[in-house]
Amino acid sequence: MDARSYKQLLAVARGDAEADLVLANARVVDVFGGRVTFGDVAVVSGRIAGVGRYQGRTVEDLEGRYLAPGLIDAHVHLESSMVRPAEYARAVVPRGTTTVISDPHEIANVAGAAGVRYLLEASEGLPLDVLVNLPSCVPASHLSSSGARLAAADLLPFLEHPRVLGLAEFMNVPGAVNAEPDAVEKLLTFRGRPIDGHAPGVRGKTLAAYAAAGPWADHESVDPDEALEKVAAGLYVFLREGTAAQNLEDLLPAVTPATAARLAFCSDDRHPAELLGEGHVDHMLRLAVANGVDPLLALRMATLSAAEAFGLRDRGAVAPGRWADLVAFDDLERFHAGAVWFRGRKVAEDWRALPFDPPRAGEEGVRATVRVQPERLNLAVPLRSGRLRVIQTHEGQLITEEVRLEPTARDGKAVADPARDLAKLAVLERHGNGGGYAVGFVRGLGLERGAIAGSVGHDSHNLTVAGMDDASMRTALSAVARAGGGYAAALGDEVLAVVPLPIAGLISDEPIEAVHARMEELLNVTRARLGSRARDPFMQLAFLPLEVIPHLKLTDRGLVDVDRFELVDLWV
């Protein structure tokens, strides 16, 4: 803020000058005191000058609607929306979201620093503040093959960017806890800046060491006791409600007036269907209040608590000097965003974004990233003595289990078996680094026939395919490769549907409504032709290679026992 704007802000606050905008006759939500007051909110140069009675060049009568701070998503991977940031903003801003804390590690694992630059450029000048924590774990670990490697020195140039905060979710828990050199270098480089955490199931002395290493927050808790232990260790805890992982309702018993200051909401990964249908942070508010959380406490978590978690004193409250990022609600149960302001400018009304010019970002470094030859794959699993280690999925959760099953045998091979909900699973390196692959088995996807595949495979984003026969699996993989990335369903030699994601194999170049329609077609054909019983088997599929979420996963290098953090044999 320059001196002129500073003096003008103070003059309006004192009542000595007119505001640019006055939002009059509002029920103003005070997230500091947990109360509602009646009055006007004065805005000048994009900031709140005061709350009370003010005069302005433009006056908008809110007629008693609730006026709250703009909502904040405390942790999100924009790439998981499958659309460019401008399209993402068009979906979430009308829901009242004005700030998101983004971790671009999805695209960074594909394209490295070029991917980070792309997301920064593509999110510039939006009616939404996209703040960025730099990806801490590219690759996520030594147990998978990504398209890039980012050391601490590679991240340093980005620290000059005004929208970069600190370091994103630190997934290498063993590295942090045991003070491994690469982990120490990154954690010390970012000491004093926000460091987001990632500590699923980490408790006791391991949690103590992890918290002491530097992370400020965590979004991986799945039960209230775990969340409260992390709060007691000094971490902020984000209650997650995404497409694949839906932990919010399970964690609500941890919400009390004493803990709310250390709790916030996050989406992590959310698909177009949920963004356009259920909503964004507003959906989390509705869930919390419907389950008995006081609306004002829930709003504090969705605004001030999230801001404080990252040291953002310029937003998160309707208070003097803060950005005029505001949302008007009709009531504090449905949280219908009647209007949204960003930096004092109205950007959405009645759940519709007002027109804006999307930024232009170069995509040369994030296209043509799928380099595979699926037809050369040998997916056969010769029979051996013993039982199979099988990944057991749970819908709505990222955590998987290891189950040990007798194989279904045919012609000397272990094969998929729809009667047991047992699908074959394969992960193929797609970044041009050798084309290695591994084959395993998964239970819980609910397929009866055919195969599904995708280039979204957290976090290294290799090609992942699950199916009931090898021919369908190859067909699905080939369809994804030809599209330059995306999702596909196949039955035998027939490609049933494809959702192209040509930007890094993660992001579409189409509007969010078109991507939603394509995904609906894909899901419908997967249910109708492949007999899928899962709500979204593609989101489940995308997390099966994620070797930093317990307990058993499959990467291009093999089966990973996440608890031991090592590769294990398919047979036991």
Side-chain angles (χ1 to χ4, degrees):
M1 185 187 305
D2 59 27
R4 182 177 176 278
S5 298
Y6 181 72
K7 291 177 181 178
Q8 184 183 28
L9 174 67
L10 299 183
V12 174
R14 294 192 305 266
D16 294 340
E18 282 190 323
D20 295 336
L21 170 69
V22 171
L23 300 174
N25 299 316
R27 288 188 173 95
V28 180
V29 175
D30 171 12
V31 292
F32 293 112
R35 60 183 187 139
V36 175
T37 62
F38 195 85
D40 306 337
V41 175
V43 177
V44 61
S45 300
R47 292 183 183 270
I48 298 166
V51 179
R53 288 297 177 191
Y54 284 94
Q55 302 296 314
R57 286 183 284 276
T58 299
V59 177
E60 184 167 350
D61 189 350
L62 294 192
E63 300 177 333
R65 283 187 289 178
Y66 292 92
L67 190 64
L71 307 181
I72 301 174
D73 188 335
H75 174 77
V76 62
H77 305 286
L78 294 185
E79 306 96 308
S80 291
S81 69
M82 298 190 286
V83 292
R84 291 173 170 131
E87 286 297 306
Y88 176 84
R90 205 162 58 78
V92 304
V93 169
R95 300 292 193 147
T97 304
T98 56
T99 298
V100 298
I101 313 299
S102 172
D103 173 6
H105 82 206
E106 317 297 355
I107 199 166
N109 268 287
V110 175
V116 178
R117 281 193 296 271
Y118 166 74
L119 270 195
L120 283 168
E121 291 174 8
S123 58
E124 188 68 48
L126 297 176
L128 168 75
D129 209 4
V130 178
L131 302 179
V132 172
N133 282 325
L134 298 172
S136 66
C137 298
V138 179
S141 81
H142 63 286
L143 298 171
S144 66
S145 306
S146 69
R149 181 174 296 275
L150 293 178
D154 300 312
L155 301 176
L156 288 176
F158 291 106
L159 290 179
E160 302 300 319
H161 196 285
R163 287 190 287 116
V164 168
L165 297 177
L167 194 63
E169 55 179 316
F170 204 86
M171 296 182 288
N172 186 359
V173 174
V177 169
N178 296 313
E180 294 174 2
D182 287 349
V184 168
E185 183 181 14
K186 284 180 181 173
L187 290 166
L188 289 181
T189 296
F190 284 82
R191 195 114 181 141
R193 284 180 174 263
I195 300 176
D196 205 352
H198 172 107
V202 176
R203 306 183 72 164
K205 291 181 179 177
T206 304
L207 175 61
Y210 185 75
W216 292 14
D218 176 72
H219 58 273
E220 295 291 345
S221 294
V222 296
D223 68 66
D225 288 341
E226 180 186 355
L228 290 172
E229 185 176 348
K230 288 173 178 174
V231 168
L235 300 180
Y236 287 89
V237 170
F238 304 149
L239 283 62
R240 173 173 56 193
E241 191 69 14
T243 295
Q246 296 149 11
N247 309 117
L248 188 149
E249 290 181 278
D250 292 337
L251 295 173
L252 288 177
V255 179
T256 69
T259 61
R262 305 294 293 186
L263 305 176
F265 296 118
C266 81
S267 65
D268 200 2
D269 299 278
R270 204 153 170 84
H271 272 184
E274 286 72 31
L275 290 172
L276 295 175
E278 295 174 340
H280 190 219
V281 181
D282 61 320
H283 172 62
M284 302 175 208
L285 284 170
R286 285 189 288 275
L287 280 180
V289 172
N291 282 275
V293 176
D294 179 88
L296 297 179
L297 209 59
L299 273 170
R300 189 201 200 285
M301 293 165 58
T303 57
L304 183 62
S305 296
E308 290 177 340
F310 295 98
L312 302 172
R313 296 178 60 85
D314 59 357
R315 69 199 71 200
V318 186
R322 303 204 176 212
W323 287 118
D325 298 347
L326 302 163
V327 54
F329 292 120
D330 296 331
D331 59 58
L332 299 186
E333 292 181 359
R334 294 181 301 135
F335 293 100
H336 180 285
V340 182
W341 294 263
F342 179 72
R343 304 298 191 260
R345 177 173 60 89
K346 186 179 284 187
V347 292
E349 198 161 26
D350 293 326
W351 278 9
R352 290 190 176 186
L354 298 179
F356 64 91
D357 294 325
R360 295 183 178 181
E363 296 178 351
E364 299 81 7
V366 292
R367 294 236 182 199
T369 61
V370 179
R371 309 176 186 97
V372 296
Q373 294 178 303
E375 64 279 358
R376 298 177 59 183
L377 289 181
N378 178 9
L379 297 172
V381 179
L383 276 177
R384 287 168 47 188
S385 60
R387 291 179 295 167
L388 291 168
R389 280 190 173 97
V390 175
I391 300 171
Q392 175 69 58
T393 66
H394 301 284
E395 193 157 24
Q397 302 291 339
L398 302 186
I399 289 176
T400 58
E401 305 295 336
E402 176 185 321
V403 294
R404 298 179 179 185
L405 302 178
E406 295 294 332
T408 297
R410 186 183 305 126
D411 300 326
K413 306 289 193 302
V415 297
D417 187 346
R420 303 168 68 191
D421 193 13
L422 183 65
K424 187 178 284 186
L425 179 69
V427 178
L428 168 63
E429 191 277 322
R430 61 111 159 170
H431 306 291
N433 296 324
Y437 66 95
V439 181
F441 289 87
V442 60
R443 194 170 70 172
L445 294 180
L447 294 176
E448 293 181 358
R449 63 192 73 87
I452 60 174
S455 57
V456 181
H458 300 270
D459 277 326
S460 291
H461 297 293
N462 291 306
L463 294 192
T464 308
V465 61
M468 290 300 169
D469 68 271
D470 294 359
S472 297
M473 293 172 72
R474 288 194 189 88
T475 301
L477 283 171
S478 296
V480 170
R482 285 194 300 272
Y487 291 113
L491 183 57
D493 294 333
E494 181 185 2
V495 177
L496 302 179
V498 179
V499 178
L501 302 175
I503 301 172
L506 305 172
I507 299 169
S508 172
D509 51 15
E510 294 184 301
I512 191 167
E513 294 85 359
V515 179
H516 173 44
R518 284 185 181 272
M519 278 301 300
E520 284 298 296
E521 178 189 5
L522 180 67
L523 290 170
N524 287 337
V525 79
T526 302
R527 296 182 189 112
R529 298 287 302 277
L530 305 186
S532 170
R533 299 182 297 276
R535 184 172 62 91
D536 187 343
F538 293 91
M539 184 58 108
Q540 286 181 279
L541 182 75
F543 283 93
L544 293 180
L546 184 51
E547 77 274 23
V548 293
I549 296 283
H551 294 278
L552 187 66
K553 296 294 192 288
L554 182 73
T555 75
D556 63 301
R557 299 188 181 185
L559 270 179
V560 178
D561 182 322
V562 182
D563 302 315
R564 291 155 53 187
F565 216 53
E566 65 184 25
L567 296 173
V568 294
D569 200 290
L570 175 61
W571 296 90
V572 61

